Amino acid sequence: TYDEVWEALSVPGSRSAHRLVDLLPHLQNLYALFETLASAREARGAIDLETTETYIVCDVNGRIEKIVPRLRNDAHKLIEECMLAANVCAADFLTEHPHPTLYRVHDRPPPDKLAALRDFLSTSALHLGGGDEPKPGDYAKRLEGARERADYDLIQSVLLRSLSQAQYRPDNEGHFGLAFDAYTHFTSPIRRYPDLLVHRAIKAALTGKQYKPSEVSWQQLGVHTSMTERRADEASRDVTNWLKCHYMSDRIGESFAGTISGVTSFGIFVTLDGLSIDGLVHITELGRDYFH
């Protein structure tokens, strides 16, 4: 498991290190490779967002016991870097041959979102470099410079919201966030259809043939799979939110610490600390006062 590998790498003489003794030299080589790839990512100026995911723990009867953050260690990050490298290799292969495929395209931030981001940062005396066309490195530099601030999570969240949504397209237009000239999704063909299409394209290119999807263009496939990805994400969020509401329904009347995660004309959104549960405090509940 990830935790066993990380214990073996980080704690010499640990139980996991003894259990994985035959694999340890290979894991240490792989970890050295990870450090090299991570350094290259930093040098490229790729945006490194550290968002916290949560998972729900149920008891034997299926009742929700607790909601806890999913902790990531360097073993998780190691696999992530390997997957990024594999996806880049797949994109490079199909670009060189060339063969039609679906690239994972991430556009530059749109002007309206960029203007809103600069307005937000200015209220905290912060600045985003790069003028009208900031590079990924400008985002990365801003994130790193704010890392020790108490409102870092909020700044990271607003930076994330300013970015375009990644899409699947047959035209290679690069990946802004990861700072790659060409990028595909290749590593998960059992759960993502675009990856399966990339595998089919590589298989065809290796044998000197052309893979042609039946009765649909690559452009249509890109539009459709981008839509179904968003639909699946929304379904997952809806289920998670429903479960969180179900969990909190037994705790009405309790007090919780929270962090303001958004402000609108009609109130504030608050994220409960340690639970990642969001809720609206309506302006009518904020007392008789004036807010700007």
Side-chain angles (χ1 to χ4, degrees):
T1 66
Y2 287 106
D3 290 342
E4 284 178 309
V5 167
W6 180 231
E7 184 181 62
L9 287 169
S10 60
V11 186
S14 64
R15 185 174 168 184
S16 293
H18 285 300
R19 204 179 76 76
L20 301 176
V21 64
D22 293 337
L23 285 174
L24 200 52
H26 306 294
L27 291 171
Q28 287 166 337
N29 284 340
L30 191 58
Y31 189 65
L33 172 63
F34 154 71
E35 292 180 310
T36 301
L37 290 170
S39 297
R41 180 204 277 236
E42 189 176 337
R44 262 193 344 267
I47 303 170
D48 190 13
L49 295 163
E50 284 283 348
T51 54
T52 302
E53 293 182 15
T54 56
Y55 67 98
I56 294 168
V57 179
C58 296
D59 63 19
V60 290
N61 299 313
R63 287 180 59 83
I64 300 169
E65 271 189 344
K66 54 187 175 179
I67 301 170
V68 293
R70 192 183 298 279
L71 302 175
R72 290 172 77 244
N73 56 45
D74 277 6
H76 293 90
K77 296 175 184 178
L78 183 157
I79 294 299
E80 185 181 279
E81 285 296 339
C82 289
M83 289 196 291
L84 291 174
N87 289 337
V88 168
C89 287
D92 288 346
F93 178 84
L94 289 167
T95 303
E96 289 165 9
H97 271 75
H99 190 289
T101 192
L102 286 184
Y103 292 94
R104 183 66 167 174
V105 176
H106 188 221
D107 289 329
R108 293 178 175 278
D112 57 332
K113 288 188 174 183
L114 195 55
L117 171 62
R118 291 191 186 283
D119 285 345
F120 168 80
L121 290 174
S122 67
T123 64
S124 300
L126 295 174
H127 172 71
L128 177 71
D132 292 337
E133 292 193 359
K135 293 182 169 55
D138 295 312
Y139 270 75
K141 190 174 179 181
R142 177 65 284 149
L143 276 169
E144 188 56 38
R147 198 170 292 277
E148 301 303 319
R149 292 174 59 110
D151 57 353
Y152 174 74
D153 287 343
L154 178 59
I155 291 169
Q156 179 177 248
S157 176
V158 176
L159 282 165
L160 177 61
R161 286 180 213 158
S162 75
L163 297 173
S164 300
Q165 195 163 32
Q167 296 178 330
Y168 296 108
R169 294 187 205 157
D171 300 319
N172 176 27
E173 296 169 35
H175 197 292
F176 177 82
L178 294 172
F180 284 135
D181 294 330
Y183 191 66
T184 61
H185 272 171
F186 164 83
T187 54
S188 300
I190 62 169
R191 68 178 180 88
R192 281 191 310 224
Y193 192 63
D195 301 48
L196 189 60
L197 292 170
V198 169
H199 279 240
R200 289 172 180 167
I202 290 174
K203 184 179 178 181
L206 284 169
T207 55
K209 298 176 182 176
Q210 282 269 320
Y211 167 66
K212 291 185 179 179
S214 58
E215 299 177 8
V216 65
S217 68
W218 284 98
Q219 188 72 35
Q220 290 170 309
L221 278 170
V223 171
H224 179 73
T225 52
S226 296
M227 179 276 292
T228 52
E229 177 193 29
R230 287 193 297 274
R231 187 175 66 186
D233 286 344
E234 286 165 8
S236 296
R237 273 197 299 271
D238 285 349
V239 170
T240 302
N241 286 338
W242 184 88
L243 289 167
K244 286 178 176 179
C245 286
H246 182 65
Y247 173 72
M248 295 303 289
S249 65
D250 292 333
R251 309 185 71 174
I252 292 170
E254 293 184 37
S255 295
F256 295 87
T259 302
I260 295 174
S261 55
V263 180
T264 69
S265 59
F266 50 82
I268 57 174
F269 287 95
V270 175
T271 302
L272 300 187
D273 296 345
L275 293 171
S276 292
I277 292 176
D278 298 295
L280 171 70
V281 179
H282 196 267
I283 194 165
T284 55
E285 299 179 62
L286 292 174
R288 297 178 63 80
D289 204 340
Y290 176 79
F291 299 93
H292 178 71

